[in-house]
Amino acid sequence: MKRIGFLSFGHYQDVPGSLVRTAQDALLQSIELAVAAEEVGVDGAFVRVHHFAPQLASPFPLLAAMGARTSRIEIGTGVVDMRYENPLYMAEEAAATDLISGGRLQLGVSRGSPEHAMNGYEAFGYVPAEGRTDADDARTKTQIFLQAIEGAGVVAANPRMTGHSGALAIEPHSPGLRDRIWWGSGTRATAKWTAEQGMNLMSSTLLTEDTGEQFSDLQAEQIQVFRDTWAEAGHSWTPRVSVSRSIIPLVTDEDRHYFGLRAQVEGKDQVGQLEGTLARFGKSYIGEPDALVEQLAQDAAVEAADTLLITVPNQLGVDYNAKLLESVVKYVAPALGWR
């Protein structure tokens, strides 16, 4: 059985046609969309995190509010850029959010994606030491974060206050959170590293490598590398794997108005330069539901993953996106193995 969730990039902009004109709009509508998605049967509500851009930036207050307004749906990120984070403070925030939601947090983290700012993490006070890269720091911070949410002692106790001199762990602690951390991977090499670290795999519609294969086949290969490495590592639990797709069933006249012409343009992979390397972008799935079922059945990565995140056009508002998600779960998802 697959889980179906939505992934919102949280864009806001005061332009004609947008129903999300301010940051407050983006935040409050993200909460409302999580509520609406739960009502139509969707399994997960995930948000993208970007800094120095008109998008969602600080996920934990938002996720906590989503968790407080819902009761069943998973809440999560895709992904938190660890270059910007203090791993111990983040461990406190993540645990508190998980406790508020009753253990429903699925937290995606990573080195981050291309961004508006030049070395924006340095403005946050995180400058890599000589001989280290921002990617090195992101991985180190992730390892510290993982140890902290496991309950490891991270600082010596003050005997005058505690009566002992042992190590103190971060509080609060949320049992089980460690097994619900995901790494956003864009290559086969990072998929291997993710498995070695014992994290779930989150793979998006962008791979920062290109072998000439179709996007879905390359992504399926990445997933297999992850699973093979996981088995070799001997972890004691079964990991999850998610992929993201843009899926727009054309069911209503409104759907066709917004997306009918885009189906002719976005229905194939795109290859381009990203940060000096070739990258492959996945295609969008836009069309009549029966056609989408047939196309998605041939997507090797969708078949291999256990979790499918549907990227939503959040600037069209809550009502439209709730109907879009309802169309996916009603007309497309059952044929993919959902429920």
Side-chain angles (χ1 to χ4, degrees):
M1 183 190 78
K2 280 185 168 48
R3 290 179 174 90
I4 302 289
F6 75 80
L7 174 62
S8 174
F9 283 50
H11 294 288
Y12 55 91
Q13 191 173 8
D14 188 6
V15 296
S18 174
L19 298 180
V20 188
R21 294 175 175 263
T22 67
Q24 184 180 43
D25 291 340
L27 291 163
L28 296 179
Q29 289 189 32
S30 295
I31 298 167
E32 295 303 324
L33 184 56
V35 173
E38 183 171 79
E39 290 174 351
V40 302
V42 171
D43 301 307
F46 289 71
V47 295
R48 214 41 205 277
V49 180
H50 278 286
H51 300 284
F52 299 109
Q55 294 178 248
L56 303 173
S58 52
F60 292 107
L62 174 59
L63 293 173
M66 291 163 69
R69 288 285 307 279
T70 57
S71 61
R72 177 192 59 81
I73 198 168
E74 294 180 336
I75 57 173
T77 53
V79 291
V80 175
D81 188 335
M82 293 301 291
R83 296 176 297 178
Y84 284 83
E85 297 298 322
N86 177 311
L88 298 185
Y89 182 59
M90 180 176 165
E92 294 177 340
E93 290 190 311
T97 302
D98 195 42
L99 292 169
I100 289 170
S101 71
R104 290 182 283 133
L105 181 61
Q106 302 286 341
L107 189 65
V109 302
S110 191
R111 174 261 180 189
S113 58
E115 55 181 354
H116 289 71
M118 293 291 293
N119 301 330
Y121 48 89
E122 293 187 0
F124 276 47
Y126 303 118
V127 181
E130 186 175 352
R132 290 179 59 85
T133 67
D134 59 324
D136 294 332
D137 281 2
R139 292 189 180 196
T140 298
K141 289 181 178 184
T142 300
Q143 290 167 338
I144 295 170
F145 170 74
L146 293 177
Q147 292 169 357
I149 62 172
E150 284 179 330
V154 297
V155 65
N158 180 351
R160 293 183 179 180
M161 296 293 294
T162 64
H164 66 85
S165 57
L168 298 178
I170 287 294
E171 294 289 353
H173 175 66
S174 185
L177 177 58
R178 171 63 180 82
D179 293 347
R180 287 179 274 114
I181 307 302
W182 306 61
W183 183 264
S185 171
T187 66
R188 290 162 295 178
T190 54
K192 184 176 188 297
W193 180 83
T194 303
E196 292 169 346
Q197 305 307 309
M199 290 184 282
N200 302 290
L201 180 68
M202 183 174 282
S203 190
S204 72
T205 52
L206 164 67
L207 295 176
T208 52
E209 61 181 343
D210 180 52
T211 64
E213 299 175 78
Q214 286 189 354
F215 176 88
S216 59
D217 292 336
L218 179 57
Q219 194 173 44
E221 184 179 338
Q222 179 197 44
I223 292 170
Q224 191 59 52
V225 167
F226 170 79
R227 290 199 167 123
D228 288 346
T229 306
W230 188 277
E232 292 168 5
H235 300 300
S236 61
W237 52 285
T238 301
R240 288 173 59 182
V241 174
S242 75
V243 296
S244 301
R245 292 291 185 272
S246 176
I247 301 175
I248 310 287
L250 299 181
V251 176
T252 67
D253 289 341
E254 189 177 25
D255 297 330
R256 296 181 184 92
H257 170 72
Y258 283 127
F259 298 103
L261 292 177
R262 287 176 58 177
Q264 303 172 28
V265 178
E266 301 179 16
K268 61 181 180 180
D269 292 353
Q270 299 178 50
V271 179
Q273 289 283 335
L274 189 66
E275 294 188 333
T277 62
L278 275 179
R280 182 168 285 265
F281 302 79
K283 65 183 180 181
S284 297
Y285 289 92
I286 305 173
E288 301 296 324
D290 289 346
L292 295 185
V293 167
E294 183 177 342
Q295 294 169 28
L296 286 162
Q298 301 173 30
D299 189 313
V302 169
E303 176 66 23
D306 59 74
T307 302
L308 175 61
L309 300 181
I310 311 298
T311 59
V312 294
N314 76 285
Q315 286 186 277
L316 292 181
V318 174
D319 289 345
Y320 180 80
N321 280 290
K323 292 174 185 176
L324 184 156
L325 292 170
E326 186 173 22
S327 293
V328 170
V329 300
K330 183 181 293 186
Y331 302 116
V332 179
L336 303 179
W338 180 72
R339 301 197 199 278

